[in-house]
Amino acid sequence: MGLEGVEPSALIGGFLAECGGYAVVDGGFATELERHGQDLNDPLWSAKCLISSPQLVRRVHLDYLEAGANVIISASYQATIQGFEAKGLSAEEAETLIKRSVDIACEARQIYLQRCAKGCWDFPHGRKTTQRPVLVAASVGSYGAYLADGSEYSGNYGDLVTLETLKDFHRRRVQILASSGADLIAFETIPNKLEAQAYAELLEEENINIPAWFSFNSKDGINVVSGDSIAECAYIADSCDRVVAVGINCTPPRLIHGLILSIKKVTNKPVVIYPNSGETYNAEAKQWEKSEGKTGEDFVSYVGKWRDAGASLFGGCCRTTPNTIRAISRVLFDKASLDN
C-alpha cells in the first residue's frame, strides 16, 4: 500500500478501513533477536543486527507478519549516524545501514505477499495466513535511546540539550528514512515534550513527504516519563499535519486505558498503543524486572477495553512476542485461529 501523495488524514482512515476498522502493529523486536541467540548488550541494541545478522532481522519481520501484523516497524530505533560512527563506521556507511533497515522490512513484506499470492504456505510450521494490508513504519528512537543510559525512560536530558540540539541530532536520520521507501515514520518512546516539539518542527522544516505517528511512554498513567503532561504532548502531535496517529508504547499495560482517554480529549487522530509486557527496565542493570500488575501474554486481556476506550492500532513493545501479536489479532477480529 503506497502512501506518498495521499493526504495524511485520508491515509490512516483508508488504511484502517481496509484492515477492518483496527490494525495490528508488530511486537518486541529485540526480544525476538535475543531469543534467536543475539547478544544485544551494545549501545546499538537491535540495530547491531543490521550489521551482523540482517537475515535474522528479516526473519523476525516475517514472524510478525505471519502472526497477523498490519504494521511492521524497522530495526532503526537505535540506528543513528552518531551511534554507528562511534563504532568506527563512516557517515556514508551509517546512512546506508539506516536505509537498509527499511529495505529489510520491505523485503519481508514482499516475501509475505508473494507467499500469500501463491497460495502455497511455506511459512514455518506450515501455517496458512491471509493477505492483508501491510505498512512498513521506519522507527526513530529518542535521543535518550542513542545515549543508551536509560534516559529514554526518564526524559531527563539535562539543561544543555535544547530544542535545536535535538533537531540537529535527528535531522539527517529523518531525511534518510523519509526517502527510504517506508510508508510512515514511527517516532517512538518519546519521553518529553521538548523532543515531541523537535520532531514536529523537523517534519515541517524538512517538508517530510510521508506521514508519521508520535508514540510516548509513561510510568504513572498521567504524564510522560519526564513528568510532562500527556495531554500537552498529544496536543503537539495533534497540531502537526504530518502526524496521522498519536499513542503510547513501552508502557505497562495497566496504565494504558487512562492514557488513551487523556489522548482522546485533545485529538481526533487515531490512537496507537503498543505496551511492553508490564515489566520495568532497570537502566543500571540493563535488564527487565518484574513489576506489579499483569505481565507477559496476559496483557492481551486488556485489548477489548483499550478498543472500547478509542484506540485503533494495537501491538506490543519490549518483551512481547509473535504469540502476543497473534492473540491480539484474534481478539480484534474474533478469529478462533490464524492457523486454519
Side-chain angles (χ1 to χ4, degrees), residues 268-283:
N268 290 321
K269 294 179 179 180
V271 174
V272 53
I273 57 101
Y274 45 120
N276 59 35
S277 64
E279 296 160 276
T280 301
Y281 186 70
N282 183 324

Side-chain angles (χ1 to χ4, degrees), residues 17-340:
E18 194 175 348
C19 289
Y22 305 99
V24 180
V25 181
D26 65 11
F29 210 85
T31 303
E32 286 300 287
L33 293 172
E34 289 176 328
R35 186 173 69 83
H36 287 291
Q38 296 297 304
D39 179 3
L40 302 183
N41 186 13
D42 188 281
L44 290 176
W45 199 43
S46 57
K48 169 187 173 184
C49 293
L50 295 172
I51 302 170
S52 62
S53 305
Q55 72 287 349
L56 181 55
V57 173
R58 184 166 49 246
R59 175 178 173 178
V60 172
H61 285 313
L62 276 165
D63 286 345
Y64 279 117
L65 288 169
E66 180 197 353
N70 300 108
V71 182
I72 55 174
I73 303 175
S74 69
S76 52
Y77 177 82
Q78 219 140 305
T80 65
I81 296 170
Q82 299 89 335
F84 285 130
E85 286 180 330
K87 285 288 189 178
L89 279 69
S90 68
E92 183 179 4
E93 289 170 327
E95 292 189 7
T96 298
L97 283 168
I98 291 169
K99 183 180 185 305
R100 182 71 181 128
S101 70
V102 174
D103 290 340
I104 293 170
C106 290
E107 289 166 9
R109 172 172 61 183
Q110 188 61 27
I111 292 169
Y112 167 77
L113 294 175
Q114 286 174 346
R115 288 174 174 173
C116 291
K118 283 162 56 179
C120 67
W121 308 109
D122 49 355
F123 285 104
H125 316 299
R127 289 195 179 102
K128 293 186 178 181
T129 187
T130 55
Q131 185 167 331
R132 60 186 178 278
V134 176
L135 299 184
V136 170
S139 173
V140 172
S142 69
Y143 179 68
Y146 155 70
L147 296 177
D149 62 358
S151 57
E152 66 199 289
Y153 300 107
S154 71
N156 181 11
Y157 293 163
D159 294 337
L160 295 179
V161 176
T162 66
L163 183 70
E164 293 304 317
T165 304
L166 294 173
K167 285 160 64 174
D168 290 344
F169 174 79
H170 288 294
R171 190 179 306 274
R172 182 59 187 144
R173 176 166 58 154
V174 170
Q175 291 171 339
I176 295 165
L177 292 174
S179 60
S180 66
D183 297 302
L184 64 124
I185 301 175
F187 293 94
E188 305 187 276
T189 325
I190 307 173
N192 55 45
K193 186 166 63 173
L194 184 68
E195 198 149 23
Q197 187 64 44
Y199 290 147
E201 292 188 15
L202 267 184
L203 290 173
E204 298 294 337
E205 289 173 10
E206 298 301 321
N207 194 26
I208 298 303
N209 63 355
I210 64 172
W213 78 43
F214 282 11
S215 183
F216 301 89
N217 59 334
S218 173
K219 53 190 176 186
D220 64 5
I222 301 170
N223 306 303
V224 299
V225 292
S226 65
D228 293 332
S229 159
I230 184 62
E232 292 179 6
C233 291
Y235 179 77
I236 291 172
D238 182 68
S239 301
C240 181
D241 290 342
R242 301 313 298 171
V243 175
V244 297
V246 188
I248 300 289
N249 75 288
C250 214
T251 294
R254 66 185 183 278
L255 303 180
I256 296 295
H257 183 263
L259 291 165
I260 295 171
L261 296 178
S262 296
I263 291 170
K264 293 292 288 184
K265 288 179 181 177
V266 297
T267 184
N268 290 321
K269 294 179 179 180
V271 174
V272 53
I273 57 101
Y274 45 120
N276 59 35
S277 64
E279 296 160 276
T280 301
Y281 186 70
N282 183 324
E284 291 185 5
K286 294 189 180 297
Q287 64 184 20
W288 289 88
E289 299 173 347
K290 290 192 178 297
S291 58
E292 180 185 354
K294 295 187 178 183
T295 60
E297 308 306 330
D298 286 343
F299 96 66
V300 175
S301 64
Y302 287 107
V303 171
K305 186 177 182 183
W306 297 336
R307 177 185 57 202
D308 293 344
S312 298
L313 300 99
F314 308 79
C317 200
C318 296
R319 312 285 282 181
T320 64
T321 70
N323 284 338
T324 315
I325 301 312
R326 186 172 286 109
I328 289 172
S329 182
R330 288 171 178 163
V331 170
L332 290 175
F333 301 110
D334 193 27
K335 295 176 180 177
S337 175
L338 290 176
D339 300 342
N340 296 328

